[in-house]
Amino acid sequence: MSKRYKSKKILVKTEYKFLAILMILMAAGLFFLPEKIDNEGTNPEEFVLNTLKSDRYISTDQLAKRIIDQDPTLLLIDTRSEEEYNAFTLPNAINVPLEKLLEEDYVSYIDQDSYDVVLFSNDNYHADQAWKIGNRKGFKSVYVLKGGLNEWFNTIISPKYPAENMPETAFKLYDFRKAAGMYFGVGAPKSDTKKATPKKVITVKKKKKRVAEGGC
Amino acid sequence: MGPLIPNGLIPIEWNFVIALLIGLAFGYIMEASGFSSSRKIIGVFYGYDFAVIKLFFTTAIVSAIGLYYMDYLGWVDISQLYVHPTYLWPAIVGGVFMGLGFMFGGYCPGTSLCAIGIGKIDALAFAVGIMIGVFIFSESFGLLEPFFNGSNYGHITMMDTFGISPYWIILIFTVIAVIVFYFSDFIRKRVKKVFY
């Protein structure tokens, strides 16, 4: 205890005055904090690099082959609206409308590591948007069907016959597409085409962040 | 990022180890700063020592301000912190009983155990008193239960009740704390000194 403090002239020590002012300033400083930005997920630089990578796309031929091979790791997600989904879609696809992507019932289809998720829409515009949201959130193994259902129709359902001067691979590809088209029911009578049933996917709902329990 | 254990940054198995370490540090600091003496708490009521009030106000404002800065920096998620449920009337009655216990006994339950650690007989009597109190309360719980569980307002905070920003509450509380510090020193200077 200093002599100054002992004498009754000084009520509060300078250090304490300083601490009191510091505390009030710190409390007032909270008002000047800029609004909090949620930076969770992939950081912007990485995100831009990811969008520039072409391996986020899967071509219609690759997809057709995987469906025909009955690849069990494939999970098709239709990002179009429900009416469009009910009208027509790819076999075993699940409907997750873009605007409902992050809702609790739907997000667990995309936010998981056990399947290769392939997003598609009429072209690849909406599917791309869904992919971007997913990538920003840090979801893994999500792909986009290049060209979407339009491209699917142009290549698999009604492929163009290659011109005569084209290489042999083009003809092979045409044969593959023609065969794949048959697999998907081109030329079959209408009664034979089965309605696409959504694939049964058991999703693991991510645990919600627990709130700390207990107290004094 | 935080809180560390619920978010899995520290495995949950470490819970008790960390609790033990914090407990040891808490006990040590409490003893070292003289809280194992019953006069320290009694001093608040007689006006010669306001260390307890200063301690609690300082803890509250430092942690409140610190937590909100840490929330801004993303170190702690405020919404994940535990908010003790408010049982309004039981809390008031319990607080009155606890205050009376402080006055009669000169110990907080925590400081009494701390004082037993350094061999104080009165603290031992206080701790036995706590046990008797707990026993009586437990045995009469059937009678007290409607009151005990009544007026539960859930996990509410002052910002929910008054509908104002937490920053205002913190600022007002800080100013109140500083005023209380000033007046407690003001009173202490006018009261005869007690040396212990």
Side-chain angles (χ1 to χ4, degrees), chain A:
Chain A
M1 219 179 266
S2 70
K3 270 184 184 171
R4 266 160 28 112
Y5 186 56
K6 263 187 184 168
S7 66
K8 285 193 173 177
K9 275 173 199 166
I10 292 161
L11 186 60
V12 184
K13 274 209 261 184
T14 336
E15 295 95 293
Y16 291 156
K17 272 184 199 162
F18 172 73
L19 282 174
I21 291 166
L22 180 72
M23 270 297 140
I24 291 173
L25 284 180
M26 291 281 280
L30 286 170
F31 286 97
F32 297 100
L33 289 181
E35 206 167 310
K36 208 164 94 180
I37 303 156
D38 190 8
N39 280 332
E40 242 179 73
T42 319
N43 69 45
E45 289 84 8
E46 210 176 314
F47 171 70
V48 170
L49 283 178
N50 284 345
T51 49
L52 293 175
K53 278 183 198 159
S54 60
D55 66 351
R56 69 194 177 98
Y57 287 113
I58 181 167
S59 77
T60 48
D61 299 315
Q62 284 169 320
L63 182 65
K65 187 162 175 4
R66 286 183 74 169
I67 295 174
I68 293 165
D69 289 347
Q70 298 185 332
D71 188 341
T73 61
L74 194 66
L75 178 61
L76 294 167
I77 302 277
D78 189 341
T79 59
R80 301 172 306 158
S81 69
E82 210 168 313
E83 297 94 70
E84 286 175 294
Y85 171 77
N86 287 334
F88 61 89
T89 187
L90 292 180
N92 297 337
I94 291 167
N95 184 218
V96 178
L98 180 61
E99 57 270 26
K100 291 183 183 161
L101 184 69
L102 294 180
E103 282 178 18
E104 208 182 325
D105 295 345
Y106 292 104
V107 77
S108 46
Y109 285 124
I110 299 165
D111 184 16
Q112 39 114 344
D113 336 314
S114 37
Y115 291 101
D116 284 345
V117 178
V118 176
L119 303 163
F120 65 91
S121 50
N122 281 332
D123 49 18
N124 52 23
Y125 187 70
H126 284 131
D128 255 341
Q129 285 182 327
W131 182 90
K132 279 171 186 163
I133 294 168
N135 194 268
R136 199 78 169 83
K137 284 259 174 195
F139 301 167
K140 286 177 192 79
S141 61
V142 181
Y143 303 91
V144 172
L145 177 62
K146 179 103 185 158
L149 286 176
N150 291 338
E151 183 72 11
W152 177 268
F153 184 81
N154 289 338
T155 53
I156 306 296
I157 305 300
S158 62
K160 245 192 220 152
Y161 191 75
E164 275 172 14
N165 57 356
M166 279 177 148
E168 196 193 352
T169 47
F171 286 91
K172 279 198 171 150
L173 185 63
Y174 174 77
D175 287 344
F176 167 75
R177 285 175 174 175
K178 217 45 187 167
M182 264 182 228
Y183 176 86
F184 291 110
V186 176
K190 232 182 181 174
S191 57
D192 263 18
T193 49
K194 275 183 255 161
K195 177 99 182 69
T197 45
K199 182 173 185 157
K200 277 222 173 101
V201 177
I202 298 157
T203 55
V204 184
K205 288 222 168 114
K206 289 265 157 93
K207 267 185 267 168
K208 265 194 185 167
K209 281 185 180 175
R210 289 192 311 130
V211 167
E213 277 171 37
C216 157

Side-chain angles (χ1 to χ4, degrees), chain A residues 5 10-12 20 23-24 26-31 33-34 36 209-215, chain B residues 6 12 61-62 65 68-69 71-72 80-82 167-168 170-171 174 178 182 185-186 188-189:
Chain A
Y5 186 56
I10 292 161
L11 186 60
V12 184
M23 270 297 140
I24 291 173
M26 291 281 280
L30 286 170
F31 286 97
L33 289 181
K36 208 164 94 180
K209 281 185 180 175
R210 289 192 311 130
V211 167
E213 277 171 37
Chain B
I12 197 148
I61 57 174
V62 169
I65 294 172
Y68 271 90
Y69 275 107
D71 179 54
Y72 172 72
Q80 271 183 272
L81 296 185
Y82 178 76
Y167 300 156
W168 275 112
I170 290 174
L171 183 63
T174 310
V178 170
Y182 182 81
D185 266 357
F186 190 76
R188 194 171 58 94
K189 287 277 142 116

